[in-house]
Amino acid sequence: MSYTPDSAVRAYIEGHRAAFLDDLVEWLRIPSVSADPGRAADVRRSADWLAAKLTETGFPTAEVWETDGAPAVYAEWPSGDEGAPTVLVYGHHDVQPAAVEDGWHTEPFEPVVKDGRLYARGAADDKGQVFFHTLGVRAHLAATGRTAPAVNLKLLIEGEEESGSAHFPDLVRAHADRLACDAVIVSDTGMWSEDTPTVCTGMRGLTDCQIDLFGPDQDIHSGSFGGAVPNPATEAARLVAALHDEDRRVAIPGFYDGVVELTDRERELFAELPFDEKQWLRTAHSHGALGESGYTTLERIWARPTAEVNGIGGGYQGPGGKTIVPSAAQLKLSFRLVAGQDGDRVQQAVRDWVTGRLPEGIRHEITFWGATRPCLTPLDHPALQSVARAMGRAFGQQVRFTREGGSGPAADLQDVLGVPVLFLGISVPSDGWHAPNEKVELDLLMKGVETAAYLWGDLAEHGRAR
Amino acid sequence: MSYTPDSAVRAYIEGHRAAFLDDLVEWLRIPSVSADPGRAADVRRSADWLAAKLTETGFPTAEVWETDGAPAVYAEWPSGDEGAPTVLVYGHHDVQPAAVEDGWHTEPFEPVVKDGRLYARGAADDKGQVFFHTLGVRAHLAATGRTAPAVNLKLLIEGEEESGSAHFPDLVRAHADRLACDAVIVSDTGMWSEDTPTVCTGMRGLTDCQIDLFGPDQDIHSGSFGGAVPNPATEAARLVAALHDEDRRVAIPGFYDGVVELTDRERELFAELPFDEKQWLRTAHSHGALGESGYTTLERIWARPTAEVNGIGGGYQGPGGKTIVPSAAQLKLSFRLVAGQDGDRVQQAVRDWVTGRLPEGIRHEITFWGATRPCLTPLDHPALQSVARAMGRAFGQQVRFTREGGSGPAADLQDVLGVPVLFLGISVPSDGWHAPNEKVELDLLMKGVETAAYLWGDLAEHGRAR
Ligand SMILES: [Zn+2]
Ligand SMILES: [Zn+2]
């Protein structure tokens, strides 16, 4: 297949690039940190700014939607074409916390362009990737001579993704009628690398919990009592050790029930990616690879469920030693889920598993923080093929397919709206999401604009979900 | 065996009880907290006070001995009898920290007598138990008409037991000539209960360490990398879980090498003690008993070596969840040792064991804080029999034998001086060592005085170590 870029699209984008970047910089200056209650006004300012900008872009409807937390932005631009498919773009306008003292070389909320990169908190995650749709739809109209997009275009840009999207499912349910669509396009992910554009076909789900173990009512002297009473730190550790078997498979009975296994075709496609494990380990800041036997690293992070210890604590953690049997210990565990797994069933499996494993004298409590569902679109889905084609035209090469190991609230859209979720992201692994010196590559950002410009026409022609 | 108390001893003690207690209260008012650098002057004041009081008691020699930390007190009272055995009493004049806000009902350094108990930090651990020797030796002289004790009596009262006795081994080595003796009497332990006077025959040793595990160079996202890289918190937990086998025996190869097993007679004696496990669990604030299979609770805490987790930490420990693979984790482990075990060998066994168990990508460091040797005196040792007899006379009943699960610097005396260590303590479990509302039972304290009064004559007659 050959990809034909559209010179009209390219010319339009080139002509509006400077103004587009000026606008994005203005938005990035708003420190919309949803996890920081002191930034609530900034999150609202960010929503208002975006709604105004979408109106200016041409969306006939652009509203700020209230939640019990931070506000979201909704916009709608009907196609006017009879039978046009409806597409909902998802992104978020809130950002992770950032402070110079975390290791930023410049102020995180004073965007700086240097060597073709735009540095700012939110540059890639997710304001840049939300914003490319504004210029994208204008380029689509300019190049096609249309006055409205070829699809019924809806945008839902939430305001608390970085603080857990606590109110997002309710928001989607409350507005399910207006959000009705044929497919969701999530612009909050990345692609393989600068040279290898890819389309993501799924995300892992997530459920995480805290397990508190209680032993003696207070820390007790290990000389007087040690060796004769159960120690909650020991028991916490024994739980963790029992999470995985010797093959590093999760050993909780029922955990793998329903898991959609990788197809041979997917394994082939993964294996064809220019994956350099040494390089990947550098990105991971890890000095070794370790995971479930029988799967490659990419398969492990994209397509296999996991049980991970995010935190463990108990007893004395200060300098030197302290000869105590601690009174309590705590685990923070997260479970990545893949298609076919059910968060509720996994939570129950974890609860059942813990309950049987603790000795007399150790009481426990488990608190799950919630569950995000996994999502997966089959490779041959027509809308997925449209995304791949649009991206191929922008990048001038055939795109490949990946998955995303992380988890996102996009899956709630899949659930509530009952439609497939597709991913369109141009961020690359070096962009530093959630880290100091987050940036976006300007060339890739403009490829995002171009992809968006091609996508609506392609989807209108080919992409309606079966 | 029947025990004959000495009416002259009792009369002398009764006549001097009030002044003795007044003096003790004065000493307890000095907050000699060795762990608090701000209290260094108080620790010195405590040493000076004690040296002056020992001079007043009649010791011809009473000196403050400097260390690189807090000062110790040394006193000496030669017998004058040809061939008299030499006994060194060990105790400490420093105390644990204490503050009303920890839960004290009265000021910890304003001693209060209530219901036959003297409440103050250090009342039992260890000022009260050091101080009973002053009236004890005077009663011994008064009742026997002697002008010097029947043994060459030496006292070494250190000033930093509660902060780890860092300089004690050096101090003992530096003064080994003057400290030379036939036996050490440690007055820094307790007995079974008010109704069951006991003599302790040994203490467990101790070696403790910190194990740091390093994984990724920084916390990394569990969605992007989880399941494919080693997690130091998981590996820390797997180490802990592997510390014990299913019988809760320590599973480190070589750990039990050389362990002196309990004799049948010792097990019988332990079993005869009025041990109420429910009551003991209340004291332990524990809701269950658990330990090495094949041993009773008392055997586990007194006569079996252990591996205990004092602290574990790694990754996120704040509220809620955080989906990371942590970059590091830490363990604080302590190993209680029993006679026959060697701290250095155990440390090496731990190092060897850890080294073989970690996957590629996890680096580790082990730091041992030091080692305290175990000590154990055979039941038939003549000096041990003397202590038991003296205590039997004071209490009017046959005393029983226990051991101490904790560890103390007394073992350094055993090592450097090459003599047996005996224990004479009248504290009971409810005295609250290291806890709020520490107290000593006044009746028991006076039994301690009386025991000391009988001991020197008995030792001179029967007790010379073979
Ligand atoms: Zn994001
Ligand atoms: Zn003590």
Side-chain angles (χ1 to χ4, degrees), chain A residues 214-242:
Chain A
F214 303 98
D217 293 329
Q218 60 185 52
D219 292 349
I220 59 176
H221 189 244
S222 72
S224 304
F225 304 108
V229 296
N231 177 328
T234 302
E235 298 310 319
R238 289 169 80 102
L239 279 183
V240 169

PDB file of all heavy atoms in Angstrom, chain A residues 214-242:
ATOM      1  N   PHE A 214      -2.032  -6.497  60.393  1.00  0.00           N
ATOM      2  CA  PHE A 214      -1.893  -6.069  61.775  1.00  0.00           C
ATOM      3  C   PHE A 214      -1.468  -7.247  62.638  1.00  0.00           C
ATOM      4  O   PHE A 214      -2.096  -8.293  62.612  1.00  0.00           O
ATOM      5  CB  PHE A 214      -3.216  -5.505  62.293  1.00  0.00           C
ATOM      6  CG  PHE A 214      -3.745  -4.366  61.461  1.00  0.00           C
ATOM      7  CD1 PHE A 214      -4.711  -4.582  60.491  1.00  0.00           C
ATOM      8  CD2 PHE A 214      -3.231  -3.089  61.628  1.00  0.00           C
ATOM      9  CE1 PHE A 214      -5.183  -3.537  59.710  1.00  0.00           C
ATOM     10  CE2 PHE A 214      -3.692  -2.033  60.843  1.00  0.00           C
ATOM     11  CZ  PHE A 214      -4.670  -2.260  59.886  1.00  0.00           C
ATOM     12  N   GLY A 215      -0.370  -7.057  63.384  1.00  0.00           N
ATOM     13  CA  GLY A 215       0.120  -8.108  64.269  1.00  0.00           C
ATOM     14  C   GLY A 215      -0.046  -7.676  65.715  1.00  0.00           C
ATOM     15  O   GLY A 215      -1.173  -7.441  66.163  1.00  0.00           O
ATOM     16  N   PRO A 216       1.054  -7.523  66.454  1.00  0.00           N
ATOM     17  CA  PRO A 216       0.942  -7.058  67.842  1.00  0.00           C
ATOM     18  C   PRO A 216       0.305  -5.662  67.867  1.00  0.00           C
ATOM     19  O   PRO A 216       0.434  -4.907  66.906  1.00  0.00           O
ATOM     20  CB  PRO A 216       2.397  -6.988  68.314  1.00  0.00           C
ATOM     21  CG  PRO A 216       3.178  -7.822  67.356  1.00  0.00           C
ATOM     22  CD  PRO A 216       2.452  -7.781  66.060  1.00  0.00           C
ATOM     23  N   ASP A 217      -0.340  -5.335  68.989  1.00  0.00           N
ATOM     24  CA  ASP A 217      -1.019  -4.040  69.070  1.00  0.00           C
ATOM     25  C   ASP A 217      -0.047  -2.873  69.099  1.00  0.00           C
ATOM     26  O   ASP A 217      -0.444  -1.732  68.914  1.00  0.00           O
ATOM     27  CB  ASP A 217      -1.924  -3.993  70.309  1.00  0.00           C
ATOM     28  CG  ASP A 217      -3.074  -4.980  70.169  1.00  0.00           C
ATOM     29  OD1 ASP A 217      -3.502  -5.225  69.033  1.00  0.00           O
ATOM     30  OD2 ASP A 217      -3.516  -5.524  71.196  1.00  0.00           O
ATOM     31  N   GLN A 218       1.205  -3.157  69.388  1.00  0.00           N
ATOM     32  CA  GLN A 218       2.236  -2.121  69.306  1.00  0.00           C
ATOM     33  C   GLN A 218       3.532  -2.808  68.899  1.00  0.00           C
ATOM     34  O   GLN A 218       3.613  -4.039  68.920  1.00  0.00           O
ATOM     35  CB  GLN A 218       2.388  -1.408  70.654  1.00  0.00           C
ATOM     36  CG  GLN A 218       2.777  -2.353  71.798  1.00  0.00           C
ATOM     37  CD  GLN A 218       2.808  -1.634  73.146  1.00  0.00           C
ATOM     38  OE1 GLN A 218       1.849  -0.980  73.530  1.00  0.00           O
ATOM     39  NE2 GLN A 218       3.910  -1.756  73.860  1.00  0.00           N
ATOM     40  N   ASP A 219       4.521  -2.032  68.486  1.00  0.00           N
ATOM     41  CA  ASP A 219       5.837  -2.615  68.233  1.00  0.00           C
ATOM     42  C   ASP A 219       6.305  -3.278  69.521  1.00  0.00           C
ATOM     43  O   ASP A 219       6.186  -2.693  70.597  1.00  0.00           O
ATOM     44  CB  ASP A 219       6.842  -1.527  67.833  1.00  0.00           C
ATOM     45  CG  ASP A 219       6.525  -0.908  66.468  1.00  0.00           C
ATOM     46  OD1 ASP A 219       5.667  -1.443  65.748  1.00  0.00           O
ATOM     47  OD2 ASP A 219       7.174   0.111  66.145  1.00  0.00           O
ATOM     48  N   ILE A 220       6.853  -4.482  69.414  1.00  0.00           N
ATOM     49  CA  ILE A 220       7.308  -5.168  70.618  1.00  0.00           C
ATOM     50  C   ILE A 220       8.763  -5.573  70.466  1.00  0.00           C
ATOM     51  O   ILE A 220       9.300  -5.600  69.361  1.00  0.00           O
ATOM     52  CB  ILE A 220       6.417  -6.389  70.956  1.00  0.00           C
ATOM     53  CG1 ILE A 220       6.401  -7.392  69.796  1.00  0.00           C
ATOM     54  CG2 ILE A 220       5.008  -5.934  71.313  1.00  0.00           C
ATOM     55  CD1 ILE A 220       5.619  -8.653  70.098  1.00  0.00           C
ATOM     56  N   HIS A 221       9.398  -5.865  71.595  1.00  0.00           N
ATOM     57  CA  HIS A 221      10.836  -6.105  71.608  1.00  0.00           C
ATOM     58  C   HIS A 221      11.159  -7.460  70.989  1.00  0.00           C
ATOM     59  O   HIS A 221      10.613  -8.479  71.395  1.00  0.00           O
ATOM     60  CB  HIS A 221      11.318  -6.038  73.057  1.00  0.00           C
ATOM     61  CG  HIS A 221      12.803  -6.063  73.213  1.00  0.00           C
ATOM     62  ND1 HIS A 221      13.462  -7.076  73.852  1.00  0.00           N
ATOM     63  CD2 HIS A 221      13.745  -5.198  72.786  1.00  0.00           C
ATOM     64  CE1 HIS A 221      14.765  -6.826  73.824  1.00  0.00           C
ATOM     65  NE2 HIS A 221      14.965  -5.688  73.189  1.00  0.00           N
ATOM     66  N   SER A 222      12.041  -7.455  70.005  1.00  0.00           N
ATOM     67  CA  SER A 222      12.319  -8.708  69.299  1.00  0.00           C
ATOM     68  C   SER A 222      13.129  -9.669  70.158  1.00  0.00           C
ATOM     69  O   SER A 222      13.152 -10.866  69.885  1.00  0.00           O
ATOM     70  CB  SER A 222      13.048  -8.430  67.984  1.00  0.00           C
ATOM     71  OG  SER A 222      14.378  -8.031  68.218  1.00  0.00           O
ATOM     72  N   GLY A 223      13.797  -9.158  71.197  1.00  0.00           N
ATOM     73  CA  GLY A 223      14.505 -10.059  72.103  1.00  0.00           C
ATOM     74  C   GLY A 223      13.528 -10.787  73.012  1.00  0.00           C
ATOM     75  O   GLY A 223      13.615 -11.992  73.214  1.00  0.00           O
ATOM     76  N   SER A 224      12.556 -10.057  73.520  1.00  0.00           N
ATOM     77  CA  SER A 224      11.609 -10.659  74.458  1.00  0.00           C
ATOM     78  C   SER A 224      10.581 -11.541  73.755  1.00  0.00           C
ATOM     79  O   SER A 224      10.102 -12.515  74.329  1.00  0.00           O
ATOM     80  CB  SER A 224      10.862  -9.557  75.214  1.00  0.00           C
ATOM     81  OG  SER A 224      11.772  -8.696  75.849  1.00  0.00           O
ATOM     82  N   PHE A 225      10.226 -11.193  72.521  1.00  0.00           N
ATOM     83  CA  PHE A 225       9.099 -11.858  71.885  1.00  0.00           C
ATOM     84  C   PHE A 225       9.404 -12.448  70.508  1.00  0.00           C
ATOM     85  O   PHE A 225       8.651 -13.263  69.998  1.00  0.00           O
ATOM     86  CB  PHE A 225       7.921 -10.873  71.779  1.00  0.00           C
ATOM     87  CG  PHE A 225       7.520 -10.280  73.101  1.00  0.00           C
ATOM     88  CD1 PHE A 225       7.787  -8.954  73.413  1.00  0.00           C
ATOM     89  CD2 PHE A 225       6.914 -11.070  74.067  1.00  0.00           C
ATOM     90  CE1 PHE A 225       7.438  -8.423  74.645  1.00  0.00           C
ATOM     91  CE2 PHE A 225       6.558 -10.541  75.310  1.00  0.00           C
ATOM     92  CZ  PHE A 225       6.828  -9.209  75.594  1.00  0.00           C
ATOM     93  N   GLY A 226      10.504 -11.989  69.924  1.00  0.00           N
ATOM     94  CA  GLY A 226      10.805 -12.395  68.550  1.00  0.00           C
ATOM     95  C   GLY A 226      11.016 -13.895  68.428  1.00  0.00           C
ATOM     96  O   GLY A 226      11.626 -14.518  69.284  1.00  0.00           O
ATOM     97  N   GLY A 227      10.490 -14.442  67.360  1.00  0.00           N
ATOM     98  CA  GLY A 227      10.629 -15.878  67.135  1.00  0.00           C
ATOM     99  C   GLY A 227       9.485 -16.673  67.703  1.00  0.00           C
ATOM    100  O   GLY A 227       9.419 -17.888  67.507  1.00  0.00           O
ATOM    101  N   ALA A 228       8.564 -16.005  68.419  1.00  0.00           N
ATOM    102  CA  ALA A 228       7.455 -16.736  69.038  1.00  0.00           C
ATOM    103  C   ALA A 228       6.099 -16.131  68.718  1.00  0.00           C
ATOM    104  O   ALA A 228       5.077 -16.686  69.075  1.00  0.00           O
ATOM    105  CB  ALA A 228       7.656 -16.818  70.554  1.00  0.00           C
ATOM    106  N   VAL A 229       6.105 -14.974  68.046  1.00  0.00           N
ATOM    107  CA  VAL A 229       4.838 -14.362  67.635  1.00  0.00           C
ATOM    108  C   VAL A 229       4.906 -14.054  66.146  1.00  0.00           C
ATOM    109  O   VAL A 229       5.985 -13.839  65.603  1.00  0.00           O
ATOM    110  CB  VAL A 229       4.540 -13.056  68.422  1.00  0.00           C
ATOM    111  CG1 VAL A 229       4.355 -13.342  69.895  1.00  0.00           C
ATOM    112  CG2 VAL A 229       5.625 -12.022  68.199  1.00  0.00           C
ATOM    113  N   PRO A 230       3.750 -14.036  65.472  1.00  0.00           N
ATOM    114  CA  PRO A 230       3.780 -13.697  64.042  1.00  0.00           C
ATOM    115  C   PRO A 230       4.155 -12.231  63.838  1.00  0.00           C
ATOM    116  O   PRO A 230       3.797 -11.376  64.642  1.00  0.00           O
ATOM    117  CB  PRO A 230       2.344 -13.982  63.580  1.00  0.00           C
ATOM    118  CG  PRO A 230       1.509 -13.958  64.812  1.00  0.00           C
ATOM    119  CD  PRO A 230       2.394 -14.372  65.949  1.00  0.00           C
ATOM    120  N   ASN A 231       4.906 -12.005  62.779  1.00  0.00           N
ATOM    121  CA  ASN A 231       5.433 -10.682  62.461  1.00  0.00           C
ATOM    122  C   ASN A 231       4.738 -10.194  61.173  1.00  0.00           C
ATOM    123  O   ASN A 231       4.870 -10.823  60.120  1.00  0.00           O
ATOM    124  CB  ASN A 231       6.947 -10.831  62.255  1.00  0.00           C
ATOM    125  CG  ASN A 231       7.634  -9.552  61.843  1.00  0.00           C
ATOM    126  OD1 ASN A 231       7.070  -8.707  61.164  1.00  0.00           O
ATOM    127  ND2 ASN A 231       8.882  -9.410  62.253  1.00  0.00           N
ATOM    128  N   PRO A 232       3.990  -9.107  61.244  1.00  0.00           N
ATOM    129  CA  PRO A 232       3.235  -8.684  60.059  1.00  0.00           C
ATOM    130  C   PRO A 232       4.124  -8.316  58.871  1.00  0.00           C
ATOM    131  O   PRO A 232       3.695  -8.473  57.719  1.00  0.00           O
ATOM    132  CB  PRO A 232       2.422  -7.479  60.547  1.00  0.00           C
ATOM    133  CG  PRO A 232       3.089  -7.024  61.796  1.00  0.00           C
ATOM    134  CD  PRO A 232       3.754  -8.215  62.403  1.00  0.00           C
ATOM    135  N   ALA A 233       5.356  -7.840  59.143  1.00  0.00           N
ATOM    136  CA  ALA A 233       6.254  -7.530  58.016  1.00  0.00           C
ATOM    137  C   ALA A 233       6.665  -8.824  57.316  1.00  0.00           C
ATOM    138  O   ALA A 233       6.728  -8.896  56.087  1.00  0.00           O
ATOM    139  CB  ALA A 233       7.484  -6.764  58.502  1.00  0.00           C
ATOM    140  N   THR A 234       6.926  -9.851  58.100  1.00  0.00           N
ATOM    141  CA  THR A 234       7.255 -11.152  57.521  1.00  0.00           C
ATOM    142  C   THR A 234       6.080 -11.676  56.708  1.00  0.00           C
ATOM    143  O   THR A 234       6.248 -12.164  55.586  1.00  0.00           O
ATOM    144  CB  THR A 234       7.598 -12.154  58.639  1.00  0.00           C
ATOM    145  OG1 THR A 234       8.683 -11.628  59.400  1.00  0.00           O
ATOM    146  CG2 THR A 234       7.974 -13.511  58.063  1.00  0.00           C
ATOM    147  N   GLU A 235       4.896 -11.545  57.256  1.00  0.00           N
ATOM    148  CA  GLU A 235       3.722 -12.080  56.560  1.00  0.00           C
ATOM    149  C   GLU A 235       3.419 -11.279  55.288  1.00  0.00           C
ATOM    150  O   GLU A 235       3.000 -11.848  54.277  1.00  0.00           O
ATOM    151  CB  GLU A 235       2.511 -12.117  57.493  1.00  0.00           C
ATOM    152  CG  GLU A 235       2.693 -13.032  58.707  1.00  0.00           C
ATOM    153  CD  GLU A 235       3.175 -14.438  58.354  1.00  0.00           C
ATOM    154  OE1 GLU A 235       2.687 -15.013  57.355  1.00  0.00           O
ATOM    155  OE2 GLU A 235       4.060 -14.949  59.062  1.00  0.00           O
ATOM    156  N   ALA A 236       3.630  -9.970  55.341  1.00  0.00           N
ATOM    157  CA  ALA A 236       3.455  -9.161  54.126  1.00  0.00           C
ATOM    158  C   ALA A 236       4.420  -9.641  53.056  1.00  0.00           C
ATOM    159  O   ALA A 236       4.060  -9.805  51.880  1.00  0.00           O
ATOM    160  CB  ALA A 236       3.690  -7.681  54.439  1.00  0.00           C
ATOM    161  N   ALA A 237       5.653  -9.884  53.474  1.00  0.00           N
ATOM    162  CA  ALA A 237       6.653 -10.349  52.515  1.00  0.00           C
ATOM    163  C   ALA A 237       6.287 -11.720  51.962  1.00  0.00           C
ATOM    164  O   ALA A 237       6.468 -11.999  50.776  1.00  0.00           O
ATOM    165  CB  ALA A 237       8.024 -10.383  53.184  1.00  0.00           C
ATOM    166  N   ARG A 238       5.774 -12.580  52.816  1.00  0.00           N
ATOM    167  CA  ARG A 238       5.400 -13.916  52.341  1.00  0.00           C
ATOM    168  C   ARG A 238       4.238 -13.841  51.356  1.00  0.00           C
ATOM    169  O   ARG A 238       4.172 -14.631  50.410  1.00  0.00           O
ATOM    170  CB  ARG A 238       5.079 -14.834  53.525  1.00  0.00           C
ATOM    171  CG  ARG A 238       6.349 -15.203  54.316  1.00  0.00           C
ATOM    172  CD  ARG A 238       6.040 -15.897  55.633  1.00  0.00           C
ATOM    173  NE  ARG A 238       5.732 -17.298  55.495  1.00  0.00           N
ATOM    174  CZ  ARG A 238       6.566 -18.301  55.764  1.00  0.00           C
ATOM    175  NH1 ARG A 238       7.794 -18.047  56.176  1.00  0.00           N
ATOM    176  NH2 ARG A 238       6.181 -19.555  55.633  1.00  0.00           N
ATOM    177  N   LEU A 239       3.330 -12.915  51.576  1.00  0.00           N
ATOM    178  CA  LEU A 239       2.276 -12.716  50.573  1.00  0.00           C
ATOM    179  C   LEU A 239       2.885 -12.313  49.234  1.00  0.00           C
ATOM    180  O   LEU A 239       2.547 -12.877  48.188  1.00  0.00           O
ATOM    181  CB  LEU A 239       1.314 -11.605  51.016  1.00  0.00           C
ATOM    182  CG  LEU A 239       0.214 -11.925  52.010  1.00  0.00           C
ATOM    183  CD1 LEU A 239      -0.649 -10.680  52.226  1.00  0.00           C
ATOM    184  CD2 LEU A 239      -0.660 -13.078  51.510  1.00  0.00           C
ATOM    185  N   VAL A 240       3.759 -11.331  49.286  1.00  0.00           N
ATOM    186  CA  VAL A 240       4.370 -10.842  48.039  1.00  0.00           C
ATOM    187  C   VAL A 240       5.122 -11.970  47.336  1.00  0.00           C
ATOM    188  O   VAL A 240       5.016 -12.135  46.114  1.00  0.00           O
ATOM    189  CB  VAL A 240       5.322  -9.666  48.320  1.00  0.00           C
ATOM    190  CG1 VAL A 240       6.156  -9.343  47.087  1.00  0.00           C
ATOM    191  CG2 VAL A 240       4.524  -8.440  48.759  1.00  0.00           C
ATOM    192  N   ALA A 241       5.870 -12.727  48.117  1.00  0.00           N
ATOM    193  CA  ALA A 241       6.655 -13.805  47.504  1.00  0.00           C
ATOM    194  C   ALA A 241       5.747 -14.843  46.860  1.00  0.00           C
ATOM    195  O   ALA A 241       6.100 -15.462  45.857  1.00  0.00           O
ATOM    196  CB  ALA A 241       7.560 -14.451  48.548  1.00  0.00           C
ATOM    197  N   ALA A 242       4.563 -15.006  47.429  1.00  0.00           N
ATOM    198  CA  ALA A 242       3.635 -16.005  46.893  1.00  0.00           C
ATOM    199  C   ALA A 242       2.826 -15.474  45.712  1.00  0.00           C
ATOM    200  O   ALA A 242       2.101 -16.225  45.064  1.00  0.00           O
ATOM    201  CB  ALA A 242       2.689 -16.475  48.000  1.00  0.00           C
TER     202      ALA A 242
END
